[in-house]
Amino acid sequence: MSRYWSPIVKDLQPYVPGEQPKLNKLTKLNTNENPYGPSPKALAAMREVLGDGLRLYPDPNADSLRGCIAEYYQLDADQVFVGNGSDEVLAHVFHALFQHGKPLLFPDITYSFYPVYCKLYGIPCEAIPLDEDFAIQVADYTGINGGIIFPNPNAPTGRLLALADIRRLLEVNNETVVVIDEAYVDFGGESAVTLVNDYPNLLVIQTLSKSRSLAGLRVGLAVGHRELIEALERVKNSFNSYPLDRVALAGAEAAIRDEAYFRECCDRVIADREQLRSELNTRGFDVLPSAANFLFCEHRSEAAADIAAALRADGVIVRHFNQRRIDNFLRITVGTVEQNQLLLESLDRFFGA
Ligand SMILES: *Cc1c(COP(=O)(O)O)cnc(C)c1O
């Protein structure tokens, strides 16, 4: 702390991202990255823009990428917003679309960036407990609020809420914006994008970081009613006119156009997730149902912290949250078949099998 800090900075409680180890021989199953590389077509498109053109600013409105996303979802381009990772898109949503005088509602167990943004933007919040099975009950979200946000599937639980439930929530909550953060929806969820023309207060957030293997490129997006998008544009153009560089614009568009590669990677992750689930079951874990690229599980006799430490000693990193209700759970990203095997072998050593 320094006397030169502003009062706001003194009070911030920044988000702590999962570890990005410098050693690459580690088996990294802690931050839900895709184990497969980006689309070869996306890589080629990015190489193509590496040249003299980089002396020029990128398109501040990202018209070509927004048009491509609009076409993909059969929407208009003015219903699409893009940003430097969905974390940046989310920050603009907190700034632009939540009513700052009333509490923002989100689950007690959820993406831990939400309370951080509340602090940054001075938004009060109320954590709504998940039920005993870690499911969201939409009936719990009907109180006075300045907005509602949750991931679907939820993180770090992986549990999916049916589209019918989201529709039910939107029917009763039409005074404030409802944000569905679909970071993992491509691994088995049903996107709420199909509802945006029915509900002017619905905003859907997606990212290219997980299902399109581009966490290193930083591209996220929002789709919704054009007036919601206009609010995001107003904040963005008061903050940074060029959040996406030329490389990101080219790579993102090519990645979205390569549907076959995208589907193939997602299908592989889904199949390996179910295989890993049954292997974890066999080893004494209770595993929550998951529609994401990770599994959230609790061992029936060993403590999560001890298991995580033993895995780490073997060079396998998983995520353990020191948080009430989930401190005995591990969140394990689905890796390649080989990575999942290394995880299981390390578990077998720990359990003395
Ligand atoms: C990974 C993740 C994000 C952030 O994605 P980026 O686009 O990489 O910033 C947002 N929300 C949830 C729930 C996530 O898991």
Side-chain angles (χ1 to χ4, degrees):
M1 177 112 50
S2 153
R3 67 193 170 99
Y4 301 115
W5 286 11
S6 75
I8 290 174
V9 165
K10 282 179 190 158
D11 209 30
L12 291 181
Q13 288 163 6
Y15 175 74
V16 183
E19 186 192 0
Q20 292 294 349
K22 300 289 180 285
L23 296 165
N24 50 19
K25 63 178 193 302
L26 293 175
T27 302
K28 202 176 162 303
L29 303 177
N30 67 328
T31 51
N32 299 341
E33 287 132 333
N34 201 306
Y36 306 109
S39 151
K41 290 179 183 166
L43 295 175
M46 290 189 272
R47 277 188 208 103
E48 200 144 302
V49 298
L50 294 179
D52 182 60
L54 285 182
R55 69 193 176 76
L56 300 171
Y57 282 106
D59 174 7
N61 300 320
D63 280 333
S64 181
L65 175 59
R66 286 171 54 231
C68 166
I69 295 165
E71 188 188 319
Y72 188 80
Y73 286 124
Q74 300 179 320
L75 297 167
D76 295 327
D78 63 4
Q79 292 177 284
V80 179
F81 179 82
V82 292
N84 190 256
S86 61
D87 286 338
E88 185 187 81
V89 176
L90 286 167
H92 292 337
V93 169
F94 276 65
H95 214 163
L97 292 171
F98 293 142
Q99 300 305 312
H100 291 200
K102 293 176 189 157
L104 175 69
L105 308 184
F106 51 73
D108 61 339
I109 309 297
T110 196
Y111 188 39
S112 48
F113 225 133
Y114 303 154
V116 173
Y117 288 134
C118 283
K119 202 84 188 163
L120 177 61
Y121 293 115
I123 301 170
C125 61
E126 188 181 333
I128 309 287
L130 295 175
D131 73 12
E132 63 274 25
D133 298 321
F134 293 103
I136 290 172
Q137 295 294 337
V138 293
D140 298 339
Y141 290 77
T142 51
I144 287 180
N145 66 77
I148 296 172
I149 186 168
F150 52 81
N152 194 39
N154 195 10
T157 66
R159 291 213 60 165
L160 183 72
L161 188 67
L163 217 47
D165 288 310
I166 291 173
R167 202 183 263 281
R168 213 147 48 83
L169 176 64
L170 289 159
E171 291 295 337
V172 293
N173 192 91
N174 53 21
E175 293 292 320
T176 60
V177 173
V178 175
V179 178
I180 311 295
D181 179 353
E182 294 189 334
Y184 303 102
V185 77
D186 299 319
F187 300 105
E190 227 185 324
S191 176
V193 164
T194 53
L195 304 181
V196 297
N197 282 332
D198 295 343
Y199 300 96
N201 62 328
L202 169 63
L203 191 77
V204 180
I205 311 285
Q206 294 188 350
T207 175
L208 273 65
S209 295
K210 284 42 184 264
S211 57
R212 287 188 175 80
S213 312
L214 286 168
L217 198 64
R218 314 304 303 131
V219 181
L221 59 107
V223 302
H225 191 281
R226 62 182 173 73
E227 285 176 5
L228 300 185
I229 300 304
E230 187 186 337
L232 297 175
E233 295 287 351
R234 288 173 71 108
V235 170
K236 173 240 163 195
N237 288 322
S238 307
F239 177 78
N240 177 5
S241 309
Y242 308 103
L244 292 189
D245 58 67
R246 285 175 173 270
V247 180
L249 290 172
E253 183 166 342
I256 287 166
R257 292 196 188 283
D258 195 354
E259 179 73 9
Y261 181 85
F262 158 72
R263 275 281 35 117
E264 186 191 323
C265 288
C266 290
D267 288 348
R268 243 196 282 179
V269 168
I270 291 166
D272 293 344
R273 175 186 72 211
E274 294 314 310
Q275 175 72 27
L276 183 58
R277 162 198 307 288
S278 96
E279 296 289 349
L280 290 169
N281 275 146
T282 309
R283 287 162 177 81
F285 284 93
D286 290 325
V287 187
L288 291 192
S290 171
N293 66 339
F294 57 83
L295 291 168
F296 199 54
C297 57
E298 180 177 35
H299 196 265
R300 288 179 214 119
S301 55
E302 301 293 334
D306 296 344
I307 301 172
L311 287 170
R312 206 193 155 85
D314 277 347
V316 179
I317 315 184
V318 300
R319 193 93 193 254
H320 173 243
F321 297 89
N322 233 331
Q323 189 191 335
R324 202 183 64 80
R325 281 189 88 181
I326 58 167
D327 56 359
N328 205 35
F329 281 79
L330 295 174
R331 191 194 67 190
I332 304 174
T333 306
V334 178
T336 59
V337 170
E338 295 73 26
Q339 290 177 313
N340 300 341
Q341 193 54 38
L342 287 171
L343 166 86
L344 294 169
E345 285 166 12
S346 174
L347 287 174
D348 287 342
R349 271 192 293 279
F350 176 68
F351 294 128

